[in-house]
Amino acid sequence: MHRIVFQSPSGLEIENPEMKQLMGYIIEQFPQYWHQGHGGGIVDFYDGNNRHLRLLILPHDEYGIYLQYVKKGINEETWLSLFDHMKLNTTAECGDELYASIGLFLPKEKAWLAVEEFCKTGERTEKIDWVSPSDIPEGGNW
C-alpha cells in the first residue's frame, strides 16, 4: 500500500488527500489557491518499499502549471513537464523567486492528468510530454 503526502503552498501537510480535493486546487481554484504561502506544492509518494518519489507543482497565473518529477535514491532522476519546445529559452517567475522556462508550463487540465497519475502510481504519466533538465537550452531554467 502506498502513501501520499501533499504539502500545500501554506505549508499544511495533508496525508492521502482525496483526488477530488487535489483536482479542485489545480483546476477549480487555480490560480487563487496557489497565492498563499510560498506559491507551490509538493506531492510525495511512498510505496512501502523505501521508494520515495516527488512531484513538485509550481503554478503561474498566465502560463499554467509546471511539474517536476524526482525519483529519489541512488539512481536519482529528474524530469520536467513539457508543453512547448519553442519557449524553453524564456523564463517566468513561479513561486518565491523560482524561475522556469515558459515552455515547461502546462494548461491546468493537462497538469491535473499528470498529478492524478502520479498520486495513483508514483510514475510519470504518458499523457503529457517530459524533458530532461539537460535538454533545457541556455537562457532557460528549471
Side-chain angles (χ1 to χ4, degrees), residues 10-138:
S10 65
L12 177 68
E13 287 192 0
I14 304 169
E15 190 162 333
N16 296 320
E18 291 187 25
M19 291 297 99
K20 186 174 182 176
Q21 181 182 24
L22 280 180
M23 183 175 74
Y25 298 153
I26 291 172
I27 295 179
E28 295 149 13
Q29 297 173 37
F30 181 85
Q32 298 81 6
Y33 174 79
W34 301 95
H35 286 201
Q36 57 185 317
H38 57 75
I42 296 171
V43 180
D44 285 308
F45 183 98
Y46 303 93
D47 71 356
N49 294 321
N50 295 325
R51 195 169 68 133
H52 178 193
L53 306 157
R54 172 170 278 182
L55 190 67
L56 176 65
I57 303 169
L58 292 172
H60 186 277
D61 289 4
E62 182 179 347
Y63 300 115
I65 298 174
Y66 157 59
L67 302 172
Q68 185 182 110
Y69 172 90
V70 179
K71 186 183 282 190
K72 303 268 187 191
I74 296 170
N75 297 320
E76 186 164 315
E77 60 182 71
T78 300
W79 292 93
L80 315 172
S81 56
L82 175 65
F83 187 66
D84 188 343
H85 267 291
M86 303 303 291
K87 295 181 180 176
L88 290 178
N89 57 358
T90 304
T91 61
E93 184 175 9
C94 55
D96 286 340
E97 298 180 26
L98 296 171
Y99 290 84
S101 295
I102 292 171
L104 300 175
F105 289 89
L106 303 167
K108 60 188 180 182
E109 292 80 7
K110 280 191 164 282
W112 168 244
L113 295 175
V115 171
E116 182 180 38
E117 178 77 17
F118 178 81
C119 288
K120 290 178 180 176
T121 67
E123 300 298 328
R124 293 181 290 130
T125 184
E126 294 181 6
K127 295 176 182 173
I128 68 165
D129 292 325
W130 298 90
V131 65
S132 170
S134 63
D135 293 329
I136 301 298
E138 191 172 326

